[in-house]
Amino acid sequence: MSELSQRPDQPVVGERHPHESAVGHVTGSALYTDDLDRRMAGVLHAYPVQSTWAHARIPGLDISGAYRVPGVVQVITAADIPGVNDQGAKHDEPLLPVDEVMFYGQAVAWVLGEDLEAAKAGAAAVTVDYQPLDSLITVREAIAAHSFHGIQPVINKGDVQAAFRDAAQVFEGEFEFAGQEHFYLETQNSLAVVDESGQLLIHSSTQHPTETQDIVSHILGIPAHRITVQVVRMGGGFGGKEMQSHGYAAIAGLGATLTGRPVRVRLDRTVDITMTGKRHGFHASWKIGFDTQGRILGLDATLTADGGWSLDLSEPVLTRAMCHIDNAYWVPNIRVHGRVAKCHKTSQTAFRGFGGPQGMLVMEDILGRVAPHLGLSARELRRRNFYTPGQDTPYYQPVRHPERMHAAWRQLLDSARIEHRETQIEHFNRTHEHVKRGLALTPVKFGISFNLTAFNQAGALVLVYKDGSVLVNHGGTEMGQGLHTKMLQVAATALGVELDTVRIAPTRTDKVPNTSATAASSGSDLNGGAVKDACEQIRARLAQVAAVKLGVPAHEIRFSRGKVSSLGGGETISWRDLVHAAYLQRVQLSAAGFYRTEGLHWDLGAMRGEPFKYFAYAAAASEIEVNRFDGSYRLRQVDVVYDVGDSLSPLVDLGQIEGGFVQGAGWLTLEDLRWDTSDRPSRGRLATQAASTYKIPSFSEMPEVFNVSLLDKAHEEGAVYGSKAVGEPPLMLAFSVREALRQAIAGFARPGTSVELASPATPEAVFWAVQTARETHDMISRRPS
């Protein structure tokens, strides 16, 4: 067992502890960036002037009217930017446009006022001249116009054409599915302050403080050491604050620099939805071949991501989608083409799963559609194609522990009594004409690590004070997912102290520099490794002090629950007394930790390598009931088996699994982004820009029965204390909901009918799918014998 994954006796990791801010969350005492301006005097408030065209030239911009509004202090335009006018990952995203707007709602200028109402009134008084240009709104329009940007990678393994020639059955199709609004509880938010020395402190709701620092640095034209970014906590992120937060921090920083006063940028819900990027919608065309046993022989697919007006993170989102099109299935011969459509919409961005869900959804939709044609149940078709030992992915990475997928599947079949319930559902559907039920199982295999190898590193700073209390700084950010809770448990375990001995400090770039984004489900792996490293350095120094006091070799010293003893027992020293003794002996009581994920390599040009440290495995079963009269449905029961390795914090992990599942169900069944595609001046306007028009899951969509269990005997060698990631993979468990809908709809049709289903499968979409299924059934019933 590796030192990184080995747990000591009586570890704090693995215990069930509530979220470290749980009390603050429910009482309202937990502070967010949005709360901090009340603690300052003279704060200015920012509000954008938004474009009213999807694509247009800007021959004129008159800001004089804004200055006539009482309370307006400053109007910020592109001309005020002292450094590089760019906020994007690929240097194609101006912070403020110079002469062209690229989507409806884009910020043309920002107005700073003594209060928010003054800033809003000032923004309304700015006059913008537009010369409308042609616009592309949908991904199909972009494909037809050959409007693409960025790389167009290809995965190519085996001989796809030979596989199709050898196949017993070949199918072709296409599939277009929507994106998703992040709808985090806390909208984009930044507060910037300049001190007397010109040092800029930015409080930001961001998942990537270092990149915020970098982008503000080049926009303002000042070195990074003059900028400190702090993240107290976020009220949700889901990927929407990995890149998109940087521009708002830059506006706050620029405003504070220009005026010498604190500047707050806080988007209201409608502004946030209309200005920020979403999960990428995709269009997929595919061709797949099977042998006589229903095993996949070959797949040829083209994935087109709806990237919006600039690249943002669309390229890595696309490549991760391509790398996950196999999901849990071996495809021996495969060719996947990828491209990013350029449209005049918000610049789509990271969202929980980062392209993985989109690629996996394509495969799950294919299998759900073709299973009836193959004469197999969808459950059996999926099982037959699972990876087995010795097989590798389309990008040539060996699949470690594929037996865990089989084990999770078997555990789910047993614990959820699947075969018994399938018999019950079959009886129910025979005896109910207008309501049908469906039960579906779907697997998840998800790669853990950043595709960009350089991001797989983290740092930490651990401070032990003379009284024995411990302060931990690390580079990860807390957005409600429980990362800080896990880091507290890691630190307490590594130092051998009780949990209440340790406290977490807010994430700051002047404490831990050069951090990676808290993303890719790698926050615990990376930051946990760094925290553990720092703690072990301190513990090793303290062991030398304890060895002298106890008269034993240092390697025999043991730390556990605030007590320090020797391997053979006998005399003990308290943690606090040992720390005080070490201080008197001038022993360093702080350490900077570092961790890098070993063994990763990735060739983007060839789309091959080993980009992932390991794979997370899971399986879900969903049972659903559909009413044919209005397409409404209710989720009766969900059962999940998830491979979290040896959990660092079981309560946190269970919360992540449940929350991820519900968010995935929202994407697949409820959340319907609608842009105006008419030829009116409002073309390109996002119509679903509030909670009144954009439906996210509520308690009424929660399953009536929700059973979550963790996979047995799943220690992960080479990961911090044997644990595995839990941030993103649970979202894809919701494929089982969509496939259960397909099964229920098929109940209205003749046996063997293939059901095509929109995504999101809203009640309206389900209603029309039921109508199609019933028409097929009626036509068969009326056919003369």
Side-chain angles (χ1 to χ4, degrees):
M1 186 178 292
S2 69
E3 187 175 343
L4 182 63
S5 63
Q6 186 173 4
R7 296 187 176 191
D9 293 335
Q10 296 184 300
V12 178
V13 293
E15 294 181 344
R16 299 168 71 92
H17 290 281
H19 191 287
E20 49 89 25
S21 294
V23 173
H25 290 161
V26 299
T27 61
S29 61
L31 289 178
Y32 295 83
T33 302
D34 190 32
D35 300 313
L36 302 180
D37 68 294
R38 296 169 228 166
R39 300 174 172 227
M40 300 179 185
V43 177
L44 297 176
H45 300 259
Y47 198 80
V49 178
Q50 292 184 269
S51 168
T52 55
W53 289 89
H55 190 202
R57 295 285 182 192
I58 312 174
L61 176 63
D62 183 1
I63 62 175
S64 61
Y67 283 107
R68 291 192 288 271
V69 175
V72 169
V73 174
Q74 181 84 39
V75 180
I76 299 175
T77 68
D80 296 305
I81 296 172
V84 179
N85 183 10
D86 187 86
Q87 62 179 323
K90 305 296 289 188
H91 307 292
D92 64 342
E93 192 173 345
L95 178 66
L96 289 168
V98 176
D99 57 8
E100 184 180 10
V101 291
M102 296 295 289
F103 71 95
Y104 197 109
Q106 183 177 0
V108 179
W110 287 82
V111 177
L112 309 183
E114 296 287 355
D115 55 42
L116 187 58
E117 294 309 311
K120 285 183 177 180
V126 172
T127 301
V128 185
D129 294 330
Y130 296 102
Q131 291 180 351
L133 301 170
D134 291 339
S135 60
L136 302 170
I137 305 303
T138 70
V139 66
R140 288 183 182 272
E141 289 174 350
I143 292 171
H146 299 284
S147 176
F148 305 108
H149 50 171
I151 60 174
Q152 295 194 20
V154 178
I155 287 176
N156 201 343
K157 180 185 177 188
D159 189 335
V160 173
Q161 293 307 317
F164 291 150
R165 288 193 298 270
D166 294 340
Q169 295 195 65
V170 177
F171 305 93
E172 295 184 67
E174 61 178 315
F175 180 34
E176 184 177 351
F177 50 95
Q180 185 179 22
E181 165 59 33
H182 298 86
F183 222 101
Y184 25 62
L185 287 178
E186 177 202 31
T187 57
Q188 298 283 352
N189 210 306
S190 288
L191 175 65
V193 186
V194 180
D195 69 13
E196 75 283 355
S197 65
Q199 183 75 19
L200 181 62
L201 171 62
I202 300 179
H203 301 276
S204 180
S205 184
T206 179
Q207 294 174 235
H208 200 171
T210 289
E211 195 163 54
T212 298
Q213 181 187 39
D214 292 342
I215 286 179
V216 173
S217 170
H218 76 238
I219 286 175
L220 297 187
I222 60 176
H225 71 244
R226 285 184 54 192
I227 303 162
T228 300
V229 178
Q230 173 170 295
V231 183
V232 178
R233 60 172 56 82
M234 284 170 277
F238 311 121
K241 297 173 181 176
E242 184 174 346
M243 272 299 301
Q244 301 267 311
S245 55
H246 308 325
Y248 306 111
I251 290 295
L254 177 56
T257 302
L258 291 172
T259 64
R261 293 172 60 179
V263 172
R264 175 194 189 216
V265 176
R266 176 197 175 275
L267 307 188
D268 65 37
R269 181 63 63 187
T270 294
V271 172
D272 190 291
I273 292 179
T274 55
M275 287 182 65
T276 62
K278 325 295 179 195
R279 182 188 295 280
H280 293 71
F282 269 68
H283 177 276
S285 57
W286 52 267
K287 181 178 181 180
I288 193 167
F290 294 84
D291 68 13
T292 56
Q293 301 301 310
R295 292 186 176 86
I296 300 170
L297 291 182
L299 172 67
D300 192 356
T302 297
L303 302 183
T304 306
D306 185 352
W309 75 279
S310 69
L311 276 171
D312 193 271
L313 295 171
S314 293
E315 290 176 330
V317 165
L318 173 67
T319 57
R320 184 170 275 260
M322 296 169 67
C323 288
H324 281 78
I325 196 170
D326 59 326
N327 192 7
Y329 314 110
W330 187 48
V331 186
N333 303 283
I334 185 167
R335 181 171 57 213
V336 185
H337 296 262
R339 56 193 181 178
V340 180
K342 184 174 184 178
C343 307
H344 297 100
K345 287 191 294 200
T346 54
S347 183
Q348 316 317 356
T349 191
F351 198 131
R352 197 175 196 167
F354 202 81
Q358 291 95 315
M360 296 159 72
L361 178 58
V362 172
M363 178 61 84
E364 293 303 328
D365 186 70
I366 291 171
L367 297 183
R369 286 164 67 171
V370 306
H373 297 306
L374 292 169
L376 293 170
S377 70
R379 172 162 71 86
E380 177 59 18
L381 178 62
R382 290 185 167 95
R383 186 199 64 79
R384 289 189 186 187
N385 284 285
F386 284 168
Y387 277 104
T388 58
Q391 295 174 340
D392 58 3
T393 66
Y395 44 94
Y396 294 93
Q397 175 161 353
V399 177
R400 291 178 60 223
H401 303 311
E403 68 280 359
R404 292 190 183 179
M405 186 68 258
H406 296 262
W409 195 258
R410 288 193 301 269
Q411 187 173 320
L412 182 63
L413 287 172
D414 293 340
S415 63
R417 301 170 65 238
I418 296 300
E419 293 183 355
H420 173 70
R421 288 165 57 199
E422 286 175 338
T423 301
Q424 289 183 320
I425 289 171
E426 186 178 346
H427 174 73
F428 179 90
N429 288 348
R430 282 199 309 268
T431 56
H432 291 75
E433 179 182 358
H434 306 304
V435 178
K436 304 292 183 183
R437 291 176 181 171
L439 174 63
L441 281 69
T442 55
V444 167
K445 175 187 70 66
F446 190 79
I448 304 299
S449 290
F450 288 96
N451 275 60
L452 180 61
T453 303
F455 281 171
N456 294 289
Q457 60 173 298
L461 175 64
V462 175
L463 312 174
V464 178
Y465 295 96
K466 290 185 292 182
D467 65 354
S469 63
V470 180
L471 182 65
V472 174
N473 302 266
H474 65 89
T477 56
E478 177 62 51
M479 60 194 92
Q481 85 280 33
L483 177 61
H484 281 355
T485 306
K486 289 187 173 183
M487 295 305 98
L488 287 170
Q489 291 182 252
V490 167
T493 299
L495 291 173
V497 299
E498 296 288 358
L499 188 62
D500 60 7
T501 305
V502 189
R503 188 175 77 83
I504 289 277
T507 308
R508 286 175 64 108
T509 56
D510 60 355
K511 296 295 187 293
V512 180
N514 309 321
T515 61
S516 297
T518 305
S521 300
S522 62
S524 294
D525 288 352
L526 297 177
N527 295 289
V531 168
K532 187 171 184 287
D533 176 51
C535 291
E536 287 173 346
Q537 293 177 49
I538 296 170
R539 193 185 66 200
R541 297 177 201 140
L542 292 175
Q544 296 291 336
V545 178
V548 174
K549 285 187 166 292
L550 297 179
V552 297
H555 70 267
E556 292 187 6
I557 296 295
R558 296 294 181 265
F559 296 77
S560 180
R561 300 288 180 167
K563 299 292 183 182
V564 184
S565 62
S566 65
L567 188 59
E571 184 183 355
T572 64
I573 311 170
S574 72
W575 165 264
R576 181 170 180 167
D577 288 346
L578 178 61
V579 167
H580 185 67
Y583 167 74
L584 294 177
Q585 295 179 31
R586 296 180 295 177
V587 173
Q588 184 182 356
L589 294 173
S590 64
F594 182 76
Y595 175 79
R596 51 176 282 172
T597 309
E598 299 293 345
L600 306 181
H601 59 93
W602 177 243
D603 184 339
L604 178 60
M607 286 294 286
R608 63 187 297 172
E610 297 189 19
F612 305 123
K613 175 68 173 177
Y614 57 81
F615 295 101
Y617 298 101
S622 292
E623 181 181 335
I624 209 158
E625 184 176 287
V626 172
N627 188 311
R628 82 168 179 89
F629 293 114
D630 57 5
S632 63
Y633 45 83
R634 62 190 182 99
L635 189 52
R636 289 171 45 81
Q637 181 170 333
V638 170
D639 295 88
V640 168
V641 175
Y642 190 92
D643 170 18
V644 74
D646 292 337
S647 175
L648 292 176
S649 189
L651 276 182
V652 168
D653 287 343
L654 289 172
Q656 284 291 286
I657 294 166
E658 293 172 354
F661 181 94
V662 172
Q663 189 172 55
W667 170 47
L668 296 168
T669 65
L670 292 173
E671 302 181 41
D672 197 4
L673 291 166
R674 296 289 182 96
W675 273 272
D676 188 335
T677 57
S678 71
D679 291 328
R680 297 189 296 270
S682 58
R683 176 175 171 82
R685 176 181 176 272
L686 181 62
T688 50
Q689 55 182 249
S692 58
T693 51
Y694 186 80
K695 176 76 170 96
I696 62 172
S698 61
F699 282 117
S700 61
E701 281 79 40
M702 289 288 288
E704 297 169 14
V705 178
F706 200 167
N707 301 314
V708 177
S709 60
L710 304 181
L711 183 64
D712 299 328
K713 301 176 182 176
H715 175 87
E716 184 63 28
E717 184 67 19
V720 62
Y721 289 129
S723 66
K724 295 179 75 169
V726 75
E728 294 168 303
L731 184 135
M732 286 74 87
L733 294 168
F735 294 150
S736 61
V737 177
R738 186 170 181 274
E739 292 306 305
L741 280 171
R742 192 194 307 273
Q743 296 295 327
I745 294 166
F748 291 100
R750 66 180 178 87
T753 298
S754 175
V755 173
E756 294 191 17
L757 189 59
S759 191
T762 61
E764 179 184 4
V766 169
F767 172 80
W768 290 115
V770 169
Q771 293 299 105
T772 301
R774 284 177 56 81
E775 289 167 4
T776 303
H777 184 275
D778 291 344
M779 284 191 296
I780 297 298
S781 299
R782 291 194 298 268
R783 184 177 298 167
S785 56

